[in-house]
Amino acid sequence: MAFQEILESIGGMGRYQVIHVVLLSLPVFMLASHNLMQNFTAAIPRHRCQINGSFEETNFTGPWLRALVPMKPTGEFSKCLRYTTPQYHLLMDNFTQNVDELETETCVDGWVYDHSEFASTIITQWDLVCNHRRMRQVAQSIYMAGVLVGSVVFGGLSDKFGRRPLNIWSNLQMSVTGICAAFSPNYIWYCIFRFLTGTALSGIVLNSYSLIVEWIPTGNRAFTSTATGYCYTMGQLVLVGLAFMIRDWHWLQLAASLPFFFYFLYSWWIPESGRWLVLSGKPEVACKALKKVAKINGKKEAGEKLTVEVLKSSMQREISASKHSTYSVLDLVRTPVVRRISFCISCTWFSTSFAYYGLALDLQSFGVSIYIIQIIFGTVDIPAKFFSYFVMTYIGRRVLQALTLILAGIAILVNICVPQDYQTVRTSMAVFGKGCLAASFNCLFLYTGELYPTVIRQSGMGLGTMMARLGGIIAPLAQMTGDIYHSLPLIIFGCLPILSGIAGCFLPETLGVPLPETIEDVESSDKKQKNVELSAKMPLKETELANWKTEV
C-alpha cells in the first residue's frame, strides 16, 4: 500500500533496515536463556535424606547406605525416606526379613545433594524436592504468567503510546528484575522477580517484532523474520555454553540478565514505527524519521522530496479511517474476518507453545546429559527454520502453519507406542516434534503481524503471545497428569497441535500481500481472496457469471 511505496522509494531493504534488524534481534539471543533457564537453574540433582552421625554425607552408593535408607524395587535408594533407626542387620547377605515392615520417616533433617554436575540450583538452595517438588513447576508457571500479563499490558500500551518507548522500558525492566532474581533471599522473592522478568520479556518480543515488520518492505519480511528466529535458536546454544561454564544458578541468572542493560542503552537510537506515527496523528515526526532512513540508505534526494503533505496525501484513506474510529481489544472480535483470524491464531499460538514447552522444559526425562540434549534441541531449529523460510517464501504461510503443527502432534503421539528402552527412538521423535514446533513459532510471529492491520496489530500480537504464554503456564501442570496415567501428558501434548493445525487451514494466505492498514482492508482482502480461489475452480463461463454478479 502507500507506506510500502514510500519505503521502496527511500531504499527498500537498505543499510538502515539491516542495522535496524540487527539491533532489534540482539536481545532475542538472550530471550531463550530466560525462557529455558530453569532446565539448569532448577535442575534436580541426585539426593537423599541427610543422616545424623559420622557417615559420609556425600556418598550415594556406599554399601552401608542400605542400613540407613530404604531401597526401591528398581535398586535405587529412596530420595524422600530414611529408616528411623539404623538397620545394620540389612548389611548381612543372608538376611531375609521383609524390608517393607521396617519403620521409616521423612527427611526431617534435610537432604544431601550430589554437587558433581550442578554447584547450586534453586532446588538445592530451598529444598524443592519430595513434598515440595511441585514448587519447581510452579516457579516456571509463575514466570510464564508474567509473560502472559506482559502480553496483555504491553500489547495495548504500545498501540496507544508507541513501540519505541515500550521497547526501551522493557529492556531496562528485564535487566533490573533479572539481576534481582539472581540475588533473591528466598523462593517467594525469586518468583516475584521472575514474574516481572516475564512481563518485560513480552514487551521486548512484541515491540521488537512490530518495529521490524513495520520498517521492512513486503518482499523481505519472511527473510527478516527467519533471521530473527535464528537468533533465538542460537540463543539456546548460548544458554548451554553459559550453563556449562557457570554451574551456580545465581551467577548464571546474572550472566543472562546483564546484557539487557546494554540493549537498553542503544534502544534509544531506534526510531518509532513510521506507520504508527502517521496513523497516530504525528506525520511530522514520521516524516523526520523517514528522512533519516533515506539518508542512511543513501537516498538523500528521495528523502528531501518527502514532505508532510506528500505523506498525508499518500496515506489519506488510512489516516481518515483511524481518525473516525477508536480501536480497542474488542476490535479483535468485532468483524467476521478478524474474529475468525483471532480464534484460529489463538489456537495455533496456544498449542505451539503448549507442546513446545512441554518438550523443552523436561530435558532430564530423556536420561542423557542435559547439556547434550539441550544442544540437540537447539540445533534442530536450524534446519527447521530454513525449511520454514523456504515454505513461507515460495508456498505460503498457511500451508506451513498447518503442516508443522500436524506433524509435531503426530511425532509426539508416536512416542506413546515406543517402549521406554528405545531411548534413541523416543529422543529422535521428540527432537523432530520440537523442530516442527520451532518452525511453527518462526512462522507465527510473521504470520500474525501480516494478518492484523496496523491499527490493531499490537493488540493482535498481544492476543497471540498471551495465548502462547497460557500454553506455557499449563504445560508444566499437564506434565503432572503422568501421575494419573503415564502416557496422558503425551496424549495431551500430541492431540492439541493436530486440532490447531486443522484450525490453521481456515486462516487467509498473506504471501505477497501488502500489510493491511485498517480493519476494512482485512475484510475486503478476504473477500477478494475468496473470489480468486473460486474463480480458479470454476469454468470460464461460470467465472464470467460470478464476475457479472459481483459487479451487479
Side-chain angles (χ1 to χ4, degrees):
M1 291 185 180
F3 195 82
Q4 283 295 323
E5 295 172 1
I6 294 172
L7 279 181
E8 293 292 349
S9 69
I10 59 173
M13 189 66 187
R15 188 184 300 113
Y16 166 79
Q17 276 74 15
V18 173
I19 297 172
H20 182 75
V21 171
V22 169
L23 292 179
L24 288 171
S25 297
L26 285 177
V28 181
F29 276 102
M30 302 309 298
L31 294 184
S33 297
H34 285 273
N35 278 340
L36 304 175
M37 186 179 293
Q38 281 206 183
N39 277 330
F40 301 98
T41 59
I44 305 174
R46 189 164 49 164
H47 57 279
R48 62 168 174 81
C49 290
Q50 182 173 329
I51 307 297
N52 290 329
S54 57
F55 301 102
E56 292 182 69
E57 290 296 345
T58 58
N59 195 312
F60 289 85
T61 58
W64 55 267
L65 206 56
R66 292 176 55 194
L68 305 171
V69 180
M71 183 175 288
K72 298 179 182 179
T74 57
E76 297 178 328
F77 287 106
S78 173
K79 299 177 180 179
C80 304
L81 295 173
R82 70 180 186 182
Y83 291 121
T84 53
T85 57
Q87 307 294 322
Y88 294 112
H89 51 278
L90 294 178
L91 301 178
M92 301 171 58
D93 294 334
N94 60 352
F95 184 74
T96 59
Q97 180 182 349
N98 186 359
V99 294
D100 293 336
E101 298 175 358
L102 300 176
E103 188 176 354
T104 60
E105 63 183 0
T106 57
C107 303
V108 293
D109 294 315
W111 288 262
V112 175
Y113 298 96
D114 181 2
H115 296 287
S116 61
E117 188 172 13
F118 302 99
S120 173
T121 68
I122 65 170
I123 304 298
T124 62
Q125 177 150 350
W126 296 309
D127 289 331
L128 305 181
V129 293
C130 298
N131 292 337
H132 300 290
R133 66 185 182 278
R134 302 196 177 208
M135 292 296 101
R136 178 178 184 262
Q137 283 90 351
V138 169
Q140 181 65 25
S141 292
I142 289 174
Y143 168 76
M144 286 297 181
V147 183
L148 170 62
V149 171
S151 300
V152 178
V153 174
F154 286 109
L157 289 178
S158 58
D159 272 341
K160 187 175 183 180
F161 298 106
R163 286 71 159 125
R164 180 176 177 270
L166 272 298
N167 185 56
I168 294 172
W169 171 260
S170 297
N171 279 291
L172 177 61
Q173 181 178 328
M174 192 81 174
S175 173
V176 173
T177 56
I179 293 171
C180 290
F183 299 102
S184 301
N186 53 52
Y187 175 77
I188 294 176
W189 277 109
Y190 171 79
C191 289
I192 291 173
F193 287 126
R194 284 285 285 168
F195 176 87
L196 294 174
T197 301
T199 61
L201 181 138
S202 274
I204 293 172
V205 170
L206 286 171
N207 293 288
S208 294
Y209 274 92
S210 289
L211 284 169
I212 289 173
V213 168
E214 293 177 358
W215 275 111
I216 300 300
T218 303
N220 302 100
R221 292 201 303 259
F223 174 79
T224 54
S225 178
T226 302
T228 306
Y230 270 119
C231 291
Y232 188 88
T233 297
M234 299 308 296
Q236 296 179 61
L237 303 181
V238 170
L239 171 62
V240 178
L242 288 174
F244 187 79
M245 293 186 295
I246 307 173
R247 302 298 180 98
D248 188 293
W249 80 268
H250 300 89
W251 299 110
L252 179 57
Q253 174 76 35
L254 181 65
S257 302
L258 281 175
F260 286 94
F261 184 73
F262 169 69
Y263 304 146
F264 158 73
L265 293 178
Y266 76 64
S267 62
W268 288 90
W269 178 85
I270 298 172
E272 182 58 88
S273 164
R275 291 176 183 273
W276 181 87
L277 288 169
V278 174
L279 297 177
S280 299
K282 301 176 181 178
E284 296 83 5
V285 182
C287 188
K288 184 178 179 181
L290 288 166
K291 287 178 180 291
K292 178 181 177 182
V293 171
K295 183 178 180 181
I296 296 174
N297 284 344
K299 299 285 185 177
K300 188 174 181 181
E301 292 183 2
E304 291 175 351
K305 294 178 182 179
L306 187 64
T307 63
V308 174
E309 290 71 23
V310 171
L311 188 60
K312 291 170 72 173
S313 62
S314 299
M315 300 184 66
Q316 185 59 46
R317 186 172 63 87
E318 293 84 356
I319 295 172
S320 178
S322 64
K323 283 183 177 179
H324 290 87
S325 301
T326 302
Y327 298 101
S328 68
V329 71
L330 294 177
D331 288 294
L332 295 174
V333 295
R334 198 184 304 277
T335 55
V337 177
V338 176
R339 181 165 56 245
R340 188 180 79 239
I341 290 172
S342 297
F343 173 77
C344 294
I345 211 70
S346 295
C347 292
T348 53
W349 273 102
F350 176 86
S351 61
T352 300
S353 177
F354 178 72
Y356 182 93
Y357 287 108
L359 293 174
L361 292 173
D362 193 30
L363 300 186
Q364 286 187 297
S365 66
F366 290 98
V368 296
S369 169
I370 190 173
Y371 300 100
I372 294 175
I373 196 66
Q374 181 64 69
I375 290 173
I376 295 173
F377 264 41
T379 305
V380 73
D381 287 10
I382 297 174
K385 288 177 179 177
F386 177 79
F387 171 78
S388 70
Y389 168 69
F390 177 82
V391 177
M392 280 193 297
T393 304
Y394 298 104
I395 300 177
R397 280 69 152 150
R398 179 171 55 188
V399 173
L400 176 67
Q401 195 61 70
L403 181 66
T404 51
L405 283 171
I406 293 172
L407 288 177
I410 292 173
I412 294 171
L413 290 176
V414 165
N415 267 344
I416 297 175
C417 306
V418 180
Q420 291 287 342
D421 296 338
Y422 292 80
Q423 284 295 336
T424 302
V425 178
R426 293 179 63 84
T427 303
S428 298
M429 295 308 299
V431 169
F432 176 76
K434 198 263 185 181
C436 290
L437 294 168
S440 176
F441 258 135
N442 191 54
C443 179
L444 267 175
F445 281 104
L446 173 64
Y447 200 14
T448 304
E450 292 179 333
L451 286 168
Y452 286 106
T454 301
V455 291
I456 57 169
R457 183 167 294 120
Q458 283 301 97
S459 297
M461 289 292 293
L463 172 67
T465 53
M466 179 183 71
M467 295 305 297
R469 303 321 166 193
L470 185 61
I473 293 171
I474 298 176
L477 306 179
Q479 290 173 342
M480 297 179 187
T481 60
D483 296 337
I484 302 173
Y485 176 60
H486 68 281
S487 295
L488 188 55
L490 292 178
I491 294 172
I492 299 172
F493 289 133
C495 289
L496 284 182
I498 294 175
L499 294 174
S500 296
I502 296 171
C505 295
F506 295 94
L507 289 168
E509 181 55 70
T510 60
L511 176 61
V513 178
L515 283 178
E517 305 289 353
T518 65
I519 293 175
E520 291 74 17
D521 289 340
V522 176
E523 298 292 325
S524 61
S525 177
D526 184 74
K527 292 178 182 178
K528 291 178 182 177
Q529 193 174 98
K530 286 182 178 179
N531 287 337
V532 171
E533 292 174 355
L534 182 63
S535 299
K537 297 177 182 179
M538 293 170 59
L540 180 59
K541 291 183 179 179
E542 293 183 8
T543 304
E544 292 174 352
L545 180 61
N547 291 336
W548 176 78
K549 288 182 177 180
T550 303
E551 292 175 1
V552 172

